[in-house]
Amino acid sequence: MLFNRQAASAKWYDRRDAVFVEFCVEDSKDLQLKFEPSQINFSCLGGTDNAKHQNEIKLFEAIEPNDSKHKRTDRSVLCCLRKSQAGKSWPRLTKDKAKLTWLSVDFNNWKDWEDDSDEEFSNYDRFSEMMGNMGGEDDLPDGEPADDEDTADSDDEKMPDLE
């Protein structure tokens, strides 16, 4: 079988003690992810065309490979890269200033943390706790809807007719 190789689209954001990178590949399989002090290597099969996605990112600063983690979902692979030097801002993800068409800033999660006081519970610890609560290293449990009657949202109630 001949695979079409392409870079996975990715978005990233910076935090005080970690950098987060999300590779946006639906239904990924054969995931291979290698964290090194100065780069990460990502590859998988995925998407509707079952394409081979491959990214090699030379990082702006060093990370702690053994303390970095990832979590695979049906839509993406989220990586939490533990910074070697916590508290140092990364103006970009990559060592080189080159504009990569497949990489963008995740503005929904971006936060200018340099001016903030220390957070009581670090984002890295939150990510670790979230992963611990989900179980498994890189697979989420199949989400079955709960049978509880209490799960109906308050906005599910019938609205009165407009006059």
Side-chain angles (χ1 to χ4, degrees):
M1 179 187 270
L2 181 63
F3 290 111
N4 180 18
R5 288 181 187 252
Q6 61 191 44
S9 66
K11 50 190 179 179
W12 78 284
Y13 61 98
D14 185 32
R15 287 293 193 266
R16 183 178 313 281
D17 50 2
V19 173
F20 292 83
V21 181
E22 184 175 16
F23 294 99
C24 304
V25 179
E26 291 187 10
D27 301 322
S28 62
K29 44 190 173 290
D30 298 334
L31 175 63
Q32 294 180 7
L33 192 53
K34 184 175 181 187
F35 299 117
E36 296 177 20
S38 61
Q39 75 178 34
I40 60 174
N41 295 302
F42 169 86
S43 69
C44 72
L45 297 177
T48 54
D49 56 354
N50 208 32
K52 171 83 172 176
H53 297 277
Q54 192 167 1
N55 300 62
E56 180 180 301
I57 304 172
K58 294 190 186 323
L59 299 168
F60 178 76
E61 290 282 340
I63 62 168
E64 297 294 332
N66 295 332
D67 289 338
S68 297
K69 304 172 189 273
H70 74 281
K71 191 70 178 173
R72 189 187 72 77
T73 69
D74 289 341
R75 294 183 167 267
S76 65
V77 178
L78 179 63
C79 302
C80 176
L81 310 175
R82 181 71 173 236
K83 292 179 178 178
S84 289
Q85 294 181 346
K88 186 172 183 181
S89 173
W90 288 24
R92 62 184 180 275
L93 179 64
T94 60
K95 187 170 191 67
D96 297 327
K97 288 186 179 181
K99 174 71 175 146
L100 303 170
T101 57
W102 52 266
L103 182 64
S104 63
V105 172
D106 185 350
F107 288 108
N108 290 332
N109 287 306
W110 191 268
K111 179 181 173 189
D112 191 12
W113 54 262
E114 292 176 297
D115 299 330
D116 291 348
S117 60
D118 285 340
E119 298 169 22
E120 75 285 349
F121 194 60
S122 75
N123 289 292
Y124 180 81
D125 292 334
R126 279 191 209 126
F127 186 81
S128 297
E129 182 180 82
M130 176 187 77
M131 289 182 56
N133 291 341
M134 290 180 172
E137 181 189 354
D138 63 353
D139 282 323
L140 291 173
D142 291 334
E144 291 296 321
D147 290 335
D148 296 343
E149 301 268 334
D150 300 333
T151 58
D153 292 335
S154 62
D155 60 353
D156 289 344
E157 297 171 7
K158 181 167 174 31
M159 297 287 294
D161 292 334
L162 297 175
E163 295 180 16

